[in-house]
Amino acid sequence: IGTFRDRFVRGMLERGYEEDFAVRCFSQIEGFGEYGFPESHAAAFAMLAYVSAWLKRHHPAVFACALLNSQPMGFYAPAQIVRDTREHGIEIRPICVSACRGNGYYDIPSLWLRAGLAPAALERLAEADAFGGMGLNRRDALWRIKSIRADKPLPLLSDPMDGEAIYEPGVDLPTMNLGEEVVEDYVSIRMSLRAHPVELLRPLLIGLTPHAELTHIPLGPVDVCGLVITRQRPGTASGVIFLTLEDETGVSNVVVWPKVYEQFRTAVIGGRLLRVRGYLQREGIVVHVIAQEVQDLSPKLAELGHPRDDAIGITDPKTDEAPRPATPKPRNAWHPRDQAKKLFPSRDFH
């Protein structure tokens, strides 16, 4: 672009503009040239944006399914894609091994024999609560799968109807509460159709405004709480951090100025469940909460009653532009007791 400088300035001077103004105009154009797209590149992006918008408007179920099948990718996690799809009136059904399978499978051994799945794959399906169509919850399904020890049945046991199949006596396993089920959903599939964690914790959190109400309540002080979806710290934002929080009603956009960030840095960077006190601002349909105080409520997730609450609110490092604490390295040495558990796994549930 620099090769056009003299021609550009000379042309403006010939048309009566001041030289200083002409130079400043060219400097702006030159600066844009550092990051601006050529026309062909811009047209390609515009086509993708138009096609995506058309699909989302006219075929929202197909659009959501395509995004879920392409994970991990993009800006939003599966939970946010599913939530948005539900809000647009699309029915979301739970994972089921008998979807589109005619009469389906009548028990786990029949699935094992007919589909040829290894026990590890069956366990993953059970953890995702995919055996509901058989009348089995995830704990019952996992218990029954533990009796399957081989990838393929022995020849004499290949037909479960010949009386040679392994018989498992019935057991009464402890029933999981709703909070435990929700956490297990997040552990296995990073989302839950049962309930949102904030919805379950809301009775313990006083003075909060649901995100759906931010579009019409009076402007001023407000307290919001939600799981962290993304953290952004664009290089052009002069140190400002943008947080997106989600509760059971929707999402809220939080602006954290540098001074507030320095004061609440640990919570902003590492928190999975945040409570933000700030000021509500609106411009048209765009709503922001300007943070004044940020509180990390991640320990509250333990109130759901499950030890794996750390699986909730983990953002994707690819889209999370704020630095994250380092993941601890695995141990090199095992205690003999842990080795025994690995070599001789029990079927106990704790």
Side-chain angles (χ1 to χ4, degrees), residues 78-324:
Q80 285 74 56
I81 297 172
V82 170
R83 179 190 56 77
D84 179 76
T85 306
R86 277 176 133 178
E87 291 178 353
H88 285 81
I90 303 301
E91 179 187 2
I92 305 295
R93 298 177 181 176
I95 299 174
C96 178
V97 295
S98 299
C100 301
R101 289 294 184 273
N103 294 327
Y105 305 102
Y106 57 87
D107 60 13
I108 292 176
S110 69
L111 173 63
W112 175 49
L113 294 172
R114 291 165 56 189
L117 296 179
L122 294 173
E123 289 184 11
R124 293 293 298 274
L125 288 170
E127 290 167 355
D129 203 17
F131 294 97
M134 299 179 186
L136 298 175
N137 59 39
R138 52 170 40 104
R139 275 187 173 172
D140 291 332
L142 279 170
W143 176 265
R144 299 191 184 191
I145 291 169
K146 289 297 183 181
S147 66
I148 302 175
R149 307 303 301 173
D151 291 346
K152 295 181 180 180
L154 296 174
L156 293 178
L157 304 180
S158 60
D159 186 359
M161 303 303 294
D162 63 3
E164 297 292 337
I166 297 175
Y167 171 74
E168 275 292 311
V171 294
D172 292 326
L173 299 174
T175 302
M176 300 177 68
N177 61 41
L178 180 57
E180 291 176 315
E181 293 281 12
V182 168
V183 175
E184 281 290 342
D185 289 341
Y186 273 85
V187 170
S188 58
I189 61 174
R190 297 181 58 198
M191 56 164 289
S192 178
L193 297 179
R194 292 179 170 87
H196 193 280
V198 176
E199 180 182 3
L200 301 180
L201 296 175
R202 192 170 291 280
L204 307 176
L205 307 173
I206 308 301
L208 295 177
T209 300
H211 296 169
E213 297 181 9
L214 298 178
T215 58
H216 56 271
I217 63 173
L219 302 181
V222 67
D223 279 47
V224 296
C225 181
L227 297 179
V228 179
I229 299 177
T230 54
R231 298 174 178 88
Q232 289 182 282
R233 194 177 187 178
T236 57
S238 302
V240 179
I241 291 181
F242 301 93
L243 303 175
T244 304
L245 306 183
E246 180 195 56
D247 67 7
E248 75 276 18
T249 69
V251 297
S252 63
N253 301 309
V254 178
V255 179
V256 183
W257 293 105
K259 289 184 178 180
V260 177
Y261 166 67
E262 291 300 327
Q263 185 178 359
F264 302 101
R265 182 178 183 276
T266 302
V268 173
I269 293 300
R272 295 176 289 120
L273 177 67
L274 297 182
R275 177 170 185 155
V276 176
R277 175 168 296 173
Y279 293 95
L280 180 64
Q281 292 187 352
R282 276 196 304 266
E283 184 174 349
I285 63 174
V286 179
V287 181
H288 288 98
V289 176
I290 309 302
Q292 299 294 315
E293 180 180 340
V294 182
Q295 183 181 4
D296 186 2
L297 297 184
S298 301
K300 285 285 185 182
L301 294 170
E303 301 290 333
L304 298 175
H306 195 290
R308 292 291 307 277
D309 60 84
D310 58 344
I312 298 179
I314 297 297
T315 53
D316 186 353
K318 295 180 180 179
T319 60
D320 197 346
E321 298 184 11
R324 298 296 306 280

